[in-house]
Amino acid sequence: MEKLNLQLKKGILFIFLWTFSLCMFAQDITVTGKVTDTTGEPLIGVTIQVRGTTNGTITDMDGNFTLEDVAPDGILDISYVGMKSQEVAVNNQTNIQVTLSEDTEMLEEVVVVGYGTMDRREVTSSIKTVSARDFNPGGARNPLDLIQGKVAGLNMTRTQGANPNSGVDIQLRGVTSLSGTRTPLIVIDGVPGGNLDLLQQDDIESFNVLKDGSAAAIYGTRANAGVILITTKKGAAGDPQFNYSTYLQHERVSDKPDILSASDFRDLISQGVINADQDFGASTDLFDELINKDNLSHYHNFSASGGSEKTNYRASIFYSNLEGIAKENSREQFGGRININQKGLQDLLTMSLNLATNFNKANMLGAGAPNKEDEMATGGTGDFEQAIQRNPTAPLYNEDGSFFETEAYNNYNPLSRLANREAWRNQQTTSADMRLSLQLTDEWSVSGFGSYVRDAYNDRYYRSSKDWDNRVGTEYQGRGFASKSNYLAWTKTFEATTDYRKTFSDLHTITGMLGYSYQYETFEKFRVNNNGFTTDAFLDWNLGAGSAINDTSLPRPGMGSEKQDNTLVAFFGRVNYSFADKYYVQGILRREGSSRFGANHKWGNFPAVSAGWAISEEEFMDDVDFVNELKLRIGYGITGNQGIPNYQSLITLGTGGVYPQNGVYYQTYGAARNPNPDLRWEQKAELNFGVDFAVLDRKISGSIDVYNRNTKDLLYNYNAQQPPYVRDLIYTNVGTLRNSGVEFQISALLIQKNNFNWNIDFAANTQSNKLTKLSSDLYEANWLSFYGLPSPGNLGDAFRLEEGGSVGNFYGKRFAGFTEDGKWLFYKQDGSTGTATEMSDDDLAIIGNGVPKFQASLTNTFVYKNFDLTFMLRGKFGFDILNLKELYFGNKKWLPNNLFKSAVTKHNQLDDDPQYSDYYLEKGDFVKLDNLTLGYNVPLNSSYIRNLRVYVTGKNLLTITGYSGSDPELQDTGFEPGVDRRDYYPRTRSWSVGLNIGF
């Protein structure tokens, strides 16, 4: 660790010294001046900033300004709300007079919407835009990390913390489906279903989140859970420019479990609590042994852009090597992105081409594998469960150097697993798209868009003959095991649109768009395994060498393959009308067909309508000077969900058992599922009311949205009567789910003074949900249950969802105390108490809920001269956590496994088998210091370097909570929220140092 810290310090010092050495020193000057409007009236609060630096000031009451430390050949950027910005070359001038004219294009910020763009003032739906200047600073392991806490209603959680091979759980405005897709549709540069692996933080221009149904309906059956539109940086006309970004990052465990040390364990032996034969003579800290203390991740991105008005480009390449806090857990990747734009036919035809690729190699061994269909999922995050429960007096190695194994329940030596297994994924993802746009007239254009996305990976797994699971005496007879699996998926998309825009009498503007979309996607898989390897020399590279092919005393080799596909076709249109820039109306209709649904319901219609009223543009608001913008919005839209498995409406052929005939075993086949020609879309109808506002010269601005969404025809597997059905379950539409909530977005410029600015951004939301229907006349279900609690003990499921109930309801026993001898007492239905054996199903009740009712984030940004400081506070409130670690490891009945110290302190009275009840539910409310970044823009006077910034970022630095576990931020999406599981990946706090240079 000392060596690592020394390396980091040297690296930081080197960066600072190097950056200053690049500066070409010149004698700076002081510039004074005055800014007025076209009538000669002085303008107060105009921002004057030296380009490429944070050196700036604002004008005083008389429009005057003074700016020190200005390079003689510098450029001043001058901006003021409502006025056109100017750039003024200093040219050794010490006094500059500036006149600003009114900006008639003000507020026409371009917002990316489905299949096009709109001016911000024309938007009538709930859409949140986050541009690059507002991204969370510092290194981002996932592109969505850039907007965490920036979008009210968008819930994002990293359930495995800083594991470089894990993703982000995302959910917008609550759960929208029982069995279909519950995550927003990702659209990257117009490619629906875009792959986040193809995005790097320095290549992204903006995120636009379509939150309500009236905004998302243009994407029809893929928009039930919302839509996230991601726009990457593009080429632009101008001189060639180069940019380089890099950071180094180090992780440390934020909270280590409070378990018994070897000394504590021996104290319990001396007290007679643990048998003396459980002292194995060592003193081991297994948690510490599993931590990769010298982890150091680094990221590099280099881009070039330039060109003319006719032809321009942007190209970037990147490399990153990300190391997890767990040993044998890493991700190395490289790739690039190219954008080319070309105009022709006298600028009537425009071609835009994007190509992106990512190659990555992931070590899955230290943190489990996402593919649960193969052996790679064995162990992984379970290693840290072993770190809690494994006997701390047990050595890790025998005297001969082999690994020491404890044979207690659910025990293994994780270091043996890490040493004797291999689990790797090699993946390559590529996306290519091209758009051709032809301007037929000034008002009318047509375009065609095509894309191809290909994702392929190869998983390889090997378990050595020295591995404990393969030892002599097991079915593997001391020989090795190997497996491989391949996955290939590709998606082809073609879309054609035509756009029309016309303004009449300077009052009426009509915009129309019609389109056609076709998308075909398919995937194929292949898996094979063999065992009986008498040497580990081949690893998994010679599967035919395994003797299990011929030796029937060994487990049988396995293989499997499959291929699936689906097609989606749609016709869609959008019409917008505005009158006098005050009143706005939008209508959308998408008609879509999917191969996934029944013959009687292949097609569905998804309409939407929304309207807006710019109250601030009315004459009666002319004298209300402090209000700059006030707009009311209302929208209603219907979206669908086709994110279900393929072929669910059809009878498909499946395999059954085998039967012998003349000494030969033949495979049997039969129906894999019941057909359902009436299988149809889940549909969500959503009503949204919104207000957009800006006051006090736009120093305070924001929005408030209130929504209610009702999703009907929920798909789920129900019991089917036999006969007439062949199988016992049928996938069909029955249920209804309601979500509602309120969202707030506020931005404020609190202080704007000479050389100092203070901005804040606040985002918050409330949410509630209810399952209003679960059964019908034909198909009935009393309730749905989720998350079966792990062994030992038959503790049942943690959650119950029934009609009238809410998603995330914990359902179990109600704690009433302990008997004198430490046995459980619980409340019965009639209010009396009883022991665990005296409880029945009728005594169980809803005991808590794991879905946060309120979430909020607050970002503060301070700028002083060339320094900037940003910190974000983020919190979730009004939810419960089921502390499974306490349930099992905080109970002396878990002995002779190791325990939490709480087992002999807080829970010392308990002397009974583990039971699931509200005794183990805790309030999960928390506030985190999620991001702290200090940056410095180096003043430059160079012909070669445009800008240079260095920064230091800390993440997850502080958590304020009453929860007793390691981290209260757990999975709170889907139907199993708020469970602190036994197997887990340690949460970390990180520090990084970064550098951005523009040439």
Side-chain angles (χ1 to χ4, degrees):
M1 181 58 69
E2 291 181 359
K3 181 179 179 182
L4 177 63
N5 289 335
L6 182 59
Q7 291 174 340
L8 282 173
K9 291 176 181 177
K10 288 182 177 179
I12 296 171
L13 180 60
F14 171 75
I15 289 172
F16 273 96
L17 291 176
W18 178 58
T19 56
F20 278 102
S21 68
L22 291 171
C23 303
M24 300 173 63
F25 295 102
Q27 185 66 42
D28 291 338
I29 62 175
T30 297
V31 177
T32 62
K34 186 173 184 177
V35 182
T36 62
D37 62 16
T38 53
T39 67
E41 288 295 316
L43 293 176
I44 306 167
V46 177
T47 299
I48 299 97
Q49 187 165 359
V50 181
R51 180 172 297 179
T53 76
T54 55
N55 183 17
T57 186
I58 60 174
T59 56
D60 60 19
M61 299 292 292
D62 299 317
N64 297 318
F65 69 90
T66 300
L67 195 58
E68 299 176 348
D69 301 325
V70 180
D73 59 349
I75 296 176
L76 302 183
D77 289 320
I78 302 172
S79 60
Y80 186 69
V81 174
M83 297 290 180
K84 291 183 178 179
S85 298
Q86 282 193 32
E87 58 179 52
V88 177
V90 176
N91 290 332
N92 284 303
Q93 301 176 80
T94 58
N95 186 270
I96 296 176
Q97 304 297 310
V98 180
T99 300
L100 296 182
S101 59
E102 185 178 356
D103 186 2
T104 57
E105 302 296 320
M106 183 187 65
L107 299 183
E108 295 192 358
E109 174 192 354
V110 174
V111 177
V112 179
V113 295
Y115 302 101
T117 60
M118 296 175 65
D119 292 339
R120 168 62 68 182
R121 64 182 180 181
E122 297 177 330
V123 172
T124 54
S125 302
S126 183
I127 301 176
K128 174 60 179 175
T129 300
V130 185
S131 56
R133 64 179 178 272
D134 299 317
F135 291 167
N136 290 322
R141 293 201 168 186
N142 185 289
L144 294 177
D145 292 343
L146 297 170
I147 61 171
Q148 183 163 35
K150 299 291 185 178
V151 182
L154 182 62
N155 186 18
M156 297 167 43
T157 305
R158 273 191 168 276
T159 57
Q160 289 196 35
N163 179 355
N165 297 314
S166 70
V168 177
D169 281 358
I170 54 175
Q171 187 171 277
L172 181 64
R173 292 186 168 182
V175 174
T176 55
S177 178
L178 290 178
S179 60
T181 297
R182 297 190 288 267
T183 58
L185 171 69
I186 303 294
V187 181
I188 302 175
D189 291 332
V191 180
N195 193 312
L196 292 175
D197 283 346
L198 295 171
L199 294 172
Q200 302 302 312
Q201 63 186 65
D202 294 292
D203 295 329
I204 301 174
E205 182 68 33
S206 68
F207 293 81
N208 285 269
V209 183
L210 313 185
K211 298 200 288 185
D212 72 335
S214 66
I218 196 69
Y219 285 101
T221 61
R222 291 167 293 182
N224 247 24
V227 182
I228 300 178
L229 306 176
I230 304 176
T231 304
T232 62
K233 295 177 180 178
K234 302 295 191 298
D239 293 333
Q241 294 186 353
F242 298 93
N243 291 279
Y244 172 67
S245 298
T246 184
Y247 69 78
L248 303 175
Q249 183 169 294
H250 176 62
E251 309 276 344
R252 299 189 67 179
V253 175
S254 58
D255 192 358
K256 182 179 178 180
D258 193 13
I259 57 179
L260 296 175
S261 66
S263 176
D264 297 327
F265 199 83
R266 291 189 175 99
D267 286 343
L268 293 183
I269 292 176
S270 66
Q271 297 171 28
V273 177
I274 303 175
N275 292 334
D277 61 0
Q278 292 300 311
D279 187 345
F280 296 103
S283 295
T284 302
D285 186 341
L286 181 55
F287 187 94
D288 191 62
E289 293 287 343
L290 291 172
I291 297 299
N292 177 17
K293 303 179 190 64
D294 294 332
N295 70 86
L296 184 63
S297 299
H298 53 101
Y299 160 86
H300 311 269
N301 187 296
F302 185 80
S303 66
S305 62
S308 65
E309 294 290 342
K310 300 285 188 182
T311 304
N312 51 69
Y313 65 91
R314 184 183 186 276
S316 65
I317 56 173
F318 78 92
Y319 172 82
S320 65
N321 191 352
L322 308 178
E323 295 187 358
I325 194 68
K327 290 182 177 178
E328 300 296 331
N329 174 220
S330 62
R331 182 182 183 90
E332 183 181 22
Q333 56 184 359
F334 66 93
R337 174 175 288 273
I338 298 174
N339 165 251
I340 300 174
N341 304 293
Q342 172 77 48
K343 289 185 177 182
L345 296 180
Q346 298 183 358
D347 295 343
L348 297 178
L349 180 65
T350 302
M351 181 198 74
S352 181
L353 173 69
N354 294 293
L355 177 64
T357 191
N358 178 302
F359 297 84
N360 69 77
K361 182 178 182 181
N363 187 350
M364 301 288 201
L365 188 61
N371 185 359
K372 299 300 182 184
E373 297 180 354
D374 58 44
E375 297 80 7
M376 286 177 63
T378 303
T381 55
D383 288 354
F384 289 95
E385 180 182 353
Q386 295 300 310
I388 295 175
Q389 72 172 19
R390 195 171 188 270
N391 189 325
T393 70
L396 295 172
Y397 303 93
N398 294 307
E399 292 183 359
D400 61 1
S402 61
F403 290 97
F404 182 90
E405 296 287 351
T406 51
E407 299 188 45
Y409 170 77
N410 194 36
N411 257 250
Y412 65 87
N413 186 337
L415 295 190
S416 171
R417 196 184 74 85
L418 296 179
N420 291 315
R421 301 186 186 187
E422 298 274 341
W424 293 89
R425 170 169 293 178
N426 285 276
Q427 186 170 10
Q428 194 265 325
T429 307
T430 298
S431 173
D433 67 79
M434 186 175 72
R435 182 182 301 275
L436 290 174
S437 299
L438 179 63
Q439 194 73 37
L440 299 175
T441 68
D442 290 342
E443 296 86 15
W444 183 26
S445 65
V446 296
S447 68
F449 174 81
S451 69
Y452 181 83
V453 180
R454 185 181 187 275
D455 184 29
Y457 61 76
N458 173 272
D459 286 347
R460 45 180 298 261
Y461 175 84
Y462 186 74
R463 201 164 62 231
S464 164
S465 59
K466 301 175 183 177
D467 189 85
W468 179 252
D469 288 350
N470 286 38
R471 67 190 183 278
V472 175
T474 67
E475 60 180 345
Y476 293 100
Q477 302 176 24
R479 287 181 262 183
F481 172 94
S483 75
K484 282 186 178 294
S485 63
N486 298 313
Y487 174 87
L488 173 63
W490 66 93
T491 302
K492 296 185 290 186
T493 303
F494 173 76
E495 293 176 334
T497 58
T498 180
D499 294 87
Y500 180 83
R501 184 180 181 93
K502 181 72 173 179
T503 299
F504 304 91
S505 304
D506 294 327
L507 291 175
H508 309 274
T509 300
I510 296 177
T511 303
M513 184 270 293
L514 292 174
Y516 165 80
S517 177
Y518 170 86
Q519 186 172 70
Y520 174 80
E521 61 181 9
T522 185
F523 72 83
E524 55 188 58
K525 299 179 180 178
F526 175 74
R527 300 179 296 275
V528 62
N529 69 69
N530 196 9
N531 66 89
F533 296 92
T534 55
T535 176
D536 296 327
F538 295 121
L539 297 177
D540 56 302
W541 299 114
N542 189 356
L543 288 177
S547 55
I549 294 176
N550 301 310
D551 188 347
T552 58
S553 68
L554 290 166
R556 296 292 76 220
M559 68 176 63
S561 64
E562 65 175 308
K563 181 179 181 179
Q564 296 186 19
D565 66 351
N566 71 85
T567 303
L568 197 65
V569 176
F571 302 90
F572 53 89
R574 176 173 57 222
V575 176
N576 294 76
Y577 169 75
S578 69
F579 174 72
D581 290 334
K582 298 179 185 178
Y583 314 106
Y584 305 92
V585 179
Q586 175 180 272
I588 291 174
L589 177 63
R590 185 176 179 110
R591 178 164 176 79
E592 196 156 24
S594 171
S595 62
R596 286 175 168 166
F597 291 95
N600 300 332
H601 294 279
K602 289 290 185 189
W603 291 84
N605 298 319
F606 305 95
V609 62
S610 58
W613 176 26
I615 300 175
S616 55
E617 298 301 314
E618 297 288 357
E619 291 184 4
F620 60 77
M621 293 292 292
D622 288 347
D623 296 329
V624 187
D625 295 334
F626 71 93
V627 176
N628 306 107
E629 179 187 358
L630 181 62
K631 183 169 73 174
L632 297 181
R633 295 179 280 102
I634 181 172
Y636 178 82
I638 295 176
T639 54
N641 191 343
Q642 68 107 35
I644 62 173
N646 297 313
Y647 316 130
Q648 295 300 300
S649 68
L650 306 173
I651 296 179
T652 55
L653 192 64
T655 57
V658 296
Y659 72 95
Q661 186 173 349
N662 298 325
V664 179
Y665 288 87
Y666 290 88
Q667 178 69 57
T668 63
Y669 304 92
R673 63 175 56 86
N674 291 317
N676 184 1
D678 292 320
L679 192 73
R680 60 188 181 274
W681 321 87
E682 295 180 342
Q683 289 195 9
K684 183 197 71 186
E686 183 170 11
L687 180 64
N688 191 98
F689 294 91
V691 179
D692 299 325
F693 61 89
V695 297
L696 302 176
D697 290 331
R698 299 193 169 271
K699 287 184 171 60
I700 300 176
S701 62
S703 63
I704 301 174
D705 283 275
V706 181
Y707 67 89
N708 185 77
R709 44 171 52 176
N710 199 59
T711 308
K712 68 175 185 177
D713 295 333
L714 295 174
L715 285 163
Y716 205 74
N717 273 310
Y718 286 81
N719 292 326
Q721 184 177 349
Q722 295 176 286
Y725 290 107
V726 176
R727 306 304 298 262
D728 60 338
L729 295 174
I730 185 170
Y731 195 59
T732 190
N733 305 81
V734 176
T736 304
L737 181 66
R738 186 174 71 235
N739 287 273
S740 59
V742 181
E743 297 167 349
F744 308 87
Q745 297 269 176
I746 299 175
S747 297
L749 177 58
L750 295 184
I751 297 178
Q752 188 178 32
K753 294 185 177 180
N754 292 351
N755 299 322
F756 181 71
N757 290 337
W758 176 17
N759 296 322
I760 66 167
D761 293 283
F762 177 73
N765 69 278
T766 68
Q767 66 168 347
S768 63
N769 62 74
K770 180 180 290 187
L771 182 68
T772 56
K773 180 182 178 183
L774 183 59
S775 300
S776 66
D777 294 337
L778 290 177
Y779 304 105
E780 183 175 344
N782 294 325
W783 63 76
L784 306 177
S785 57
F786 304 94
Y787 194 74
L789 296 167
S791 298
N794 185 15
L795 302 186
D797 297 320
F799 298 93
R800 176 174 289 190
L801 180 60
E802 52 194 347
E803 282 192 5
S806 297
V807 173
N809 276 344
F810 291 108
Y811 191 81
K813 304 181 185 71
R814 295 169 295 157
F815 176 67
F818 296 107
T819 64
E820 292 183 356
D821 56 352
K823 305 304 180 185
W824 293 104
L825 285 176
F826 302 106
Y827 287 109
K828 297 182 67 66
Q829 187 180 37
D830 60 7
S832 63
T833 61
T835 62
T837 57
E838 295 170 337
M839 301 297 288
S840 68
D841 289 342
D842 294 335
D843 299 318
L844 305 181
I846 295 172
I847 56 177
N849 189 280
V851 178
K853 295 180 177 61
F854 179 74
Q855 301 184 46
S857 67
L858 178 66
T859 302
N860 289 266
T861 302
F862 303 91
V863 178
Y864 176 69
K865 293 188 176 181
N866 291 347
F867 289 93
D868 58 87
L869 174 67
T870 300
F871 70 87
M872 173 192 280
L873 299 172
R874 186 171 55 82
K876 300 182 181 182
F877 310 91
F879 69 105
D880 300 299
I881 293 177
L882 174 58
N883 194 336
L884 285 187
K885 294 185 180 69
E886 285 288 336
L887 191 155
Y888 291 98
F889 308 137
N891 188 330
K892 288 178 289 188
K893 284 287 186 176
W894 193 255
L895 292 172
N897 293 306
N898 198 18
L899 303 170
F900 282 158
K901 290 180 181 178
S902 61
V904 293
T905 54
K906 178 181 177 181
H907 311 298
N908 190 50
Q909 182 184 355
L910 174 60
D911 186 21
D912 204 349
D913 293 330
Q915 294 290 333
Y916 166 48
S917 76
D918 57 2
Y919 179 77
Y920 292 109
L921 288 182
E922 301 182 43
K923 295 299 181 184
D925 298 20
F926 70 86
V927 174
K928 284 177 177 282
L929 177 54
D930 212 38
N931 186 300
L932 176 66
T933 298
L934 175 64
Y936 181 70
N937 288 281
V938 180
L940 297 172
N941 182 18
S942 172
S943 302
Y944 302 99
I945 300 177
R946 301 190 326 273
N947 59 273
L948 192 154
R949 181 173 185 267
V950 292
Y951 64 87
V952 177
T953 296
K955 293 188 175 182
N956 193 30
L957 299 181
L958 174 68
T959 301
I960 302 172
T961 182
Y963 178 59
S964 66
S966 297
D967 194 322
E969 186 164 24
L970 306 163
Q971 177 181 325
D972 50 18
T973 59
F975 293 96
E976 299 178 351
V979 178
D980 194 350
R981 308 182 183 215
R982 283 182 2 198
D983 58 331
Y984 71 105
Y985 191 94
R987 294 301 176 91
T988 63
R989 63 174 52 96
S990 67
W991 286 100
S992 58
V993 56
L995 172 69
N996 300 320
I997 308 178
F999 300 98

